[in-house]
Amino acid sequence: METFYEVMRRQGISRRSLMKFCSLTATSLGLGPAFVPQIAHAMETKPRTPVLWLHGLECTCCSESFIRSAHPLAKDVVLSMISLDYDDLLMAAAGHQAEEILEEIMVKYKGQYILAVEGNPPLNEDGMYCIQSGKPFIDKLNRVAKDCKAIISWGSCASWGCVQAAKPNPTRATPIHKVIFDKPIIKVPGCPPIAEVMTGVITYMLTFDRIPELDRQGRPKMFYSQRIHDKCYRRPHFDAGQFVESFDDENARKGYCLYKVGCKGPTTYNACSTVRWNDGTSWPVQSGHGCLGCSEEGFWDKGSFYDRLTNINAFGVESSADKIGIGAAVGVGAAVAAHAAVSVLKRASDKTESAKTDH
C-alpha cells in the first residue's frame, strides 16, 4: 500500500507543501514545532491505514461534519492519509459490490484496519430495527470489529447512544462500548463532533501509530480535557454575575453570559470554544445560543435545553452561580453596614473628643 507522501507526490504536491501540511497538522493537534519532522517522517514512510466506516442508527451528521473539515482538509485525510476502503455513504460502489470490498479488506488487512462507527446498533427484536445487507447491523458490527486494530466511535450516537437511546428507548439503541469489549475504543462525542477534532484524531493515530491519551471516559484528552466554560469568551461576564435573563433582552445584545437561559458550557467537555466550527468562523455560544452539552452522556434525557444548571461550581468553591450572586450581595450589604457602623462610631468619638476639648 502506498504511503501518504507517495500519494501526495502522485497528485503533484511538493515536499515544501508536505512540510507546510505537517506544520499545520502539528498545530491542530496542539503539538510543538519539534514534532513536525516526526510527522513528516511518518507521512513519508508509513503505508496508508485502511479504514472501514460503518453506519448504524444515526442521522449522518458526523459524516457531514467530517467532510467539511478545513485543517487538514477532509480530501487530504480521505484520499491521502487514510485508505477509506468502505463507507457506504461516500463510496461509489453499492450493493453486492460494496459488501465484497468490505470482505476483501477485512481478509487482506486482518488486524491492521481501523473501524470507524457512526451511529449505534439497536438490540431489541434481535436487531431488526437496523437492517443492512439483509442482516441486523449488530451482526455486521461484531463481524467487522473482530479483526480490527481499534475502533473510533464517531459522535454521541456511537459514544453514548444519543437521542435514539432516549427514554424509554424502545429499540434498545446501545453505544459501541457496551457491545464490543475486546478492542480499544476511542470515543469522539458530539452531535456532531467538530470536523477538525475528527480529522485530528485520525491524524494522530496515523502519525504516531497509537491511540491518543484518553480520559477516564475514553475521550481524547487533546480535545476533551477542558470544559467549554473554561475557554468561553463570555466567561468574564459569568464571573462578574452579568447574565442574559431572556433571549434578545438588552443583556443578550451586550453579549453577557448565557448561563441563566440554559447554557451547559460549565459541565460540557469539548473544544468548541477554542476550535469552533465552519473553519473557525463561529460556534453556538458566539451565535447567541447556549451550549446544549451534546458531547456529554445522557444530555438528551436531562430536561429542557433551556433549564439553567443548579449544581455548577465557580470561583473555586462548592456553590452555584445563583448562590454566589446572593452571597456577593450579602457580602456587599454587610460591608456597607459595617462601613456605616464604623462611620457612626467615628462621628460619635469625634464629638466626644470635641466636647472634652471645649471643657
Side-chain angles (χ1 to χ4, degrees), residues 108-121:
K108 186 176 181 180
Y109 297 102
K110 182 178 180 179
Q112 301 176 43
Y113 61 85
I114 293 175
L115 170 58
V117 185
E118 181 176 350
N120 55 54

Side-chain angles (χ1 to χ4, degrees), residues 7 24 32 45 75 102-103 107 125 127 132 159 178 183 196 200 204 230 284 288 291 345:
V7 174
L24 290 171
T45 59
K75 67 177 181 65
L102 176 64
E103 296 297 331
V107 173
E125 302 291 344
Q132 294 185 12
S159 298
K178 292 190 177 181
K183 298 292 179 180
E196 285 71 28
Y204 184 95
D230 296 331
C291 167
L345 290 174

Side-chain angles (χ1 to χ4, degrees), residues 134-204:
K135 296 180 180 179
F137 175 66
I138 182 61
D139 294 348
K140 185 175 187 177
L141 175 64
N142 284 325
R143 182 163 50 85
V144 181
K146 182 176 180 294
D147 294 317
C148 74
K149 184 177 182 180
I151 298 174
I152 303 177
S153 292
W154 288 138
S156 292
C157 295
S159 298
W160 309 128
C162 207
V163 294
Q164 302 92 293
K167 296 174 182 177
N169 191 7
T171 67
R172 282 184 61 204
T174 306
I176 305 304
H177 67 279
K178 292 190 177 181
V179 293
I180 306 294
F181 305 102
D182 59 347
K183 298 292 179 180
I185 297 177
I186 304 97
K187 298 173 186 171
V188 187
C191 194
I194 303 170
E196 285 71 28
V197 170
M198 299 175 75
T199 53
V201 169
I202 284 186
T203 302
Y204 184 95

Side-chain angles (χ1 to χ4, degrees), residues 330-343:
V330 171
V332 170
V336 171
H339 178 74
V342 169
S343 297

Side-chain angles (χ1 to χ4, degrees), residues 269-331:
Y269 289 80
N270 209 333
C272 300
S273 53
T274 51
V275 179
R276 299 189 293 179
W277 295 79
N278 300 322
D279 196 10
T281 301
S282 185
W283 60 296
V285 168
Q286 187 173 337
S287 68
H289 195 286
C291 167
L292 302 183
C294 74
S295 58
E296 296 301 312
E297 184 175 10
F299 81 92
W300 53 90
D301 277 332
K302 294 181 178 178
S304 170
F305 292 147
Y306 303 102
D307 288 342
R308 73 167 70 176
L309 296 165
T310 57
N311 59 347
I312 61 173
N313 304 326
F315 309 108
V317 296
E318 300 295 320
S319 185
S320 70
D322 284 347
K323 290 181 180 178
I324 289 170
I326 294 172
V330 171

Side-chain angles (χ1 to χ4, degrees), residues 36-166:
V36 174
Q38 187 174 347
I39 296 174
H41 178 73
M43 298 296 99
E44 291 175 327
T45 59
K46 292 183 180 180
R48 294 191 300 159
T49 301
V51 174
L52 303 178
W53 191 312
L54 303 184
H55 295 259
L57 290 183
E58 43 89 9
C59 70
T60 317
C61 66
C62 298
S63 291
E64 291 286 349
S65 178
F66 181 77
I67 63 177
R68 285 163 175 75
S69 172
H71 305 293
L73 289 173
K75 67 177 181 65
D76 293 323
V77 177
V78 174
L79 301 178
S80 303
M81 298 178 67
I82 66 175
S83 180
L84 187 55
D85 294 291
Y86 180 90
D87 184 333
D88 53 14
L89 177 72
L90 300 176
M91 66 195 304
H96 294 295
Q97 184 183 15
E99 298 310 305
E100 288 172 4
I101 293 173
L102 176 64
E103 296 297 331
E104 178 184 336
I105 298 302
M106 287 170 56
V107 173
K108 186 176 181 180
Y109 297 102
K110 182 178 180 179
Q112 301 176 43
Y113 61 85
I114 293 175
L115 170 58
V117 185
E118 181 176 350
N120 55 54
L123 303 183
N124 214 3
E125 302 291 344
D126 297 321
M128 62 84 66
Y129 291 102
C130 187
I131 301 294
Q132 294 185 12
S133 307
K135 296 180 180 179
F137 175 66
I138 182 61
D139 294 348
K140 185 175 187 177
L141 175 64
N142 284 325
R143 182 163 50 85
V144 181
K146 182 176 180 294
D147 294 317
C148 74
K149 184 177 182 180
I151 298 174
I152 303 177
S153 292
W154 288 138
S156 292
C157 295
S159 298
W160 309 128
C162 207
V163 294
Q164 302 92 293

